[in-house]
Structure formats: structure tokens, C-alpha cells
Amino acid sequence: MALFQKNIEPRCGYCARSRPLSGEQVVCGKKGVMSPASHCSAFRYDPLKRVPPRPVRADFTRLKDEDFKL
């Protein structure tokens, strides 16, 4: 099982060259103040900055008692 996806969509929010400025902006060493959703050709992926999506909660409401009997 791979820990990281091979084809990560580039975003300034998780680029190694960017630093957070506020909730809506990051500072890029190459381009200056940018939106976290934008990117440039100098993108370098930093896996520690990326927050993966939360897993979907399991829905057990459709299960019945019969489903748990052998």
C-alpha cells in the first residue's frame, strides 16, 4: 500500500516553498503572496503540509440483528 498518491494536484498550500500567511493566503519564495489553491512551475510537494480528507463514517443504521447471526 502506497502512503502517498503518485499524481498529487499541485497547490501552493502544500508546496515546500510556501509559508502560511493567513487562512486565505500563503507566501511563496518565488511568486510572493498567493492563494493556497494556486500553483506555479516551481511546485515541490511537501507531504507534511497536506491534510488528507477525512474518511467517510460507516453507516450502520441499515443493518439488522439478523446480519450478525451465524
Side-chain angles (χ1 to χ4, degrees):
M1 181 176 152
L3 291 176
F4 306 109
Q5 297 174 1
K6 298 270 185 208
N7 52 354
I8 298 292
E9 181 183 339
R11 291 180 178 258
C12 288
Y14 42 83
C15 177
R17 293 187 161 107
S18 69
R19 302 287 175 254
L21 182 62
S22 69
E24 298 294 321
Q25 295 177 333
V26 294
V27 176
C28 174
K30 191 158 183 95
K31 295 281 189 171
V33 179
M34 302 282 289
S35 165
S38 61
H39 70 280
C40 68
S41 61
F43 174 77
R44 282 193 341 211
Y45 180 59
D46 183 358
L48 298 177
K49 289 185 177 182
R50 185 168 173 258
V51 179
R54 297 189 61 86
V56 178
R57 275 195 135 170
D59 182 22
F60 298 113
T61 58
R62 297 181 297 154
L63 298 176
K64 299 175 241 160
D65 288 336
E66 295 87 36
D67 296 331
F68 296 100
K69 292 184 181 176
L70 293 175

